[in-house]
Amino acid sequence: MTKQQKETVQALQWTGDALKVLDQRRLPEHIVYDNCNDAHDVANAIISMLVRGAPAIGIAAAYGVVLSVRKHYAQSNHWRQKVVADIDMLAKSRPTAVNLFWALDQMKVTLSQQTINPLVGILACAVKIHEDDIAANHKMGELGADLLTSAKGVLTHCNTGALATGGYGTALGVIRSAYRRQALDVYAGETRPWLQGARLTAWELSQEKIPVTLIADSAAAWLMKTGAIDWVVVGADRITANGDVANKIGTYALAVLAKQHDVKFMVVAPMTTVDWGINKGNQIKIEERHQKELLPDCYLEEDSLVSAWNPVFDVTPVELITAIVTERGVVLNPAAGQGVRGLK
Ligand code: MRU
């Protein structure tokens, strides 16, 4: 049994000649896998959100490069150029999660090192990216759970579990590890407009037999006011060197509310989510998705006076963060030091 097979919930499965992707748009009602047979299929799966979550996007893209090599190596003398064109296409699938660009860079380096038959080396690189992510998540689970020892309740946002990663999860991995150690009330925000919290986190936790209470995003302040939660625990799509964190829209609002209510704020992400090339969060490109994700059809007509603004990530400034948990260690009060630079 490989490390990949041990996970209860699996977003991504490499079959040997295709990438099986759990269609997250259809959860929790339907568990349906789609086969990606080439890099275009993988890019489309990322664009259309069959696969989502920063680490899972990076891992899927890595397997997309494997599929590209498999397709072009046998067929063309110009296979390297074709694979590089596929890598460029995969890089355009989503802009904010840096794990995508990190994984593609790893694959590019590996590709440049292949001399005779590239298939074995390129697949080994993708599998390593996948398995390293699972191992990092387990490590972060333990480190994050150490911070929650006296916590009675936590609130999480979006979906950061096995569905969003290679397996186990980042923020949700911490919650899984902590729940195994102690009683813990887990709250999940529904995470509009795509409902990752209501559809995915609630489903994933119930698969793990962890009770969860769902709240409307707008109930978070009132929940904090009751004293029911000690920590907000979230993932990240990109962390800049100073410790600013891009994550699902609504994360910044939770951090502001947490400050007001003396609730601690934990960000959990692997080192692959750190963007060393950027010093501050205002340099991160924030994805805006189509207004149809928010608007009822009747407002989508051309002469409609109703439009929608749909940024799907925001940036939480480091000053609002109590702890950043990575597999390399925990940075407490990152604003007081040098952000995450000490982990490099
Ligand atoms: O738009 P999504 O669903 O890809 O956004 C996912 C998130 O924002 C997650 O919280 C983040 O990727 C961390 S996942 C481990």
Side-chain angles (χ1 to χ4, degrees):
M1 195 184 266
T2 68
K3 282 184 199 154
Q4 293 176 36
Q5 286 165 335
K6 279 186 212 148
E7 294 301 320
T8 337
V9 173
Q10 281 187 289
L12 303 168
Q13 289 172 17
W14 177 250
T15 66
D17 54 12
L19 180 65
K20 264 175 80 176
V21 174
L22 178 57
D23 188 344
Q24 300 193 24
R25 301 168 309 183
R26 305 197 61 191
L27 288 171
E29 285 88 2
H30 304 282
I31 299 175
V32 179
Y33 281 87
D34 252 30
N35 262 13
C36 294
N37 296 306
D38 62 21
H40 282 89
D41 289 349
V42 174
N44 286 335
I46 296 171
I47 292 165
S48 58
M49 308 267 289
L50 271 85
V51 51
R52 32 79 33 212
I57 291 168
I59 295 162
Y63 285 118
V65 178
V66 176
L67 291 168
S68 175
V69 173
R70 283 174 66 92
K71 178 170 170 181
H72 298 301
Y73 176 65
Q75 285 177 4
S76 165
N77 290 335
H78 304 293
W79 67 269
R80 270 183 203 275
Q81 289 100 305
K82 292 183 184 232
V83 173
V84 169
D86 279 348
I87 290 176
D88 291 345
M89 176 207 46
L90 284 160
K92 292 195 181 99
S93 56
R94 287 192 78 186
T96 304
V98 78
N99 310 61
L100 171 67
F101 309 104
W102 176 85
L104 291 174
D105 282 347
Q106 299 292 302
M107 298 304 285
K108 259 192 218 166
V109 170
T110 305
L111 188 67
S112 70
Q113 292 163 347
Q114 306 306 306
T115 44
I116 314 169
N117 183 341
L119 290 169
V120 175
I122 212 81
L123 176 60
C125 183
V127 170
K128 181 164 169 21
I129 289 172
H130 194 170
E131 294 192 338
D132 284 355
D133 185 66
I134 298 171
N137 291 340
H138 284 277
K139 176 80 188 169
M140 291 187 289
E142 295 307 308
L143 293 174
D146 289 346
L147 299 177
L148 295 182
T149 41
S150 56
K152 301 274 178 295
V154 295
L155 170 64
T156 191
H157 188 57
C158 194
N159 171 267
T160 62
L163 290 168
T165 63
Y168 201 68
T170 58
L172 217 55
V174 167
I175 290 169
R176 285 170 75 170
S177 296
Y179 185 81
R180 253 192 237 132
R181 296 184 190 181
Q182 74 213 45
L184 190 66
D185 294 329
V186 181
Y187 293 85
E190 58 181 356
T191 317
R192 284 186 176 267
W194 213 73
L195 297 173
Q196 287 94 331
R199 294 190 304 104
L200 308 178
T201 298
W203 180 74
E204 224 189 292
L205 287 172
S206 62
Q207 297 292 304
E208 296 298 326
K209 311 276 181 266
I210 299 176
V212 55
T213 304
L214 192 64
I215 61 162
D217 298 325
S218 46
W222 198 236
L223 176 70
M224 291 185 199
K225 182 85 178 163
T226 66
I229 60 162
D230 311 284
W231 285 85
V232 173
V233 186
V234 296
D237 285 78
R238 198 183 287 230
I239 301 176
T240 54
N242 75 328
D244 290 344
V245 169
N247 193 49
K248 178 54 54 193
I249 190 76
T251 303
Y252 171 47
L254 291 175
V256 172
L257 294 176
K259 188 84 171 175
Q260 167 72 15
H261 294 92
D262 260 335
V263 168
K264 296 191 242 349
F265 196 89
M266 186 193 304
V267 174
V268 188
M271 293 303 295
T272 52
T273 304
V274 178
D275 185 347
W276 297 113
I278 292 187
N279 276 318
K280 277 188 78 78
N282 59 5
Q283 295 165 271
I284 299 173
K285 184 169 167 45
I286 298 295
E287 178 181 8
E288 287 183 23
R289 290 183 72 87
H290 199 279
Q291 56 176 357
K292 72 180 178 216
E293 288 185 349
L294 284 173
L295 289 179
D297 287 352
C298 63
Y299 293 137
L300 290 171
E301 280 150 25
E302 230 166 69
D303 56 352
S304 173
L305 294 177
V306 183
S307 62
W309 178 52
N310 187 18
V312 295
F313 298 98
D314 57 28
V315 177
T316 298
V318 63
E319 295 75 26
L320 298 177
I321 298 170
T322 314
I324 297 179
V325 175
T326 75
E327 74 277 25
R328 209 171 277 173
V330 175
V331 184
L332 289 174
N333 194 7
Q338 348 161 351
V340 291
R341 290 183 189 95
L343 296 172
K344 199 168 184 180

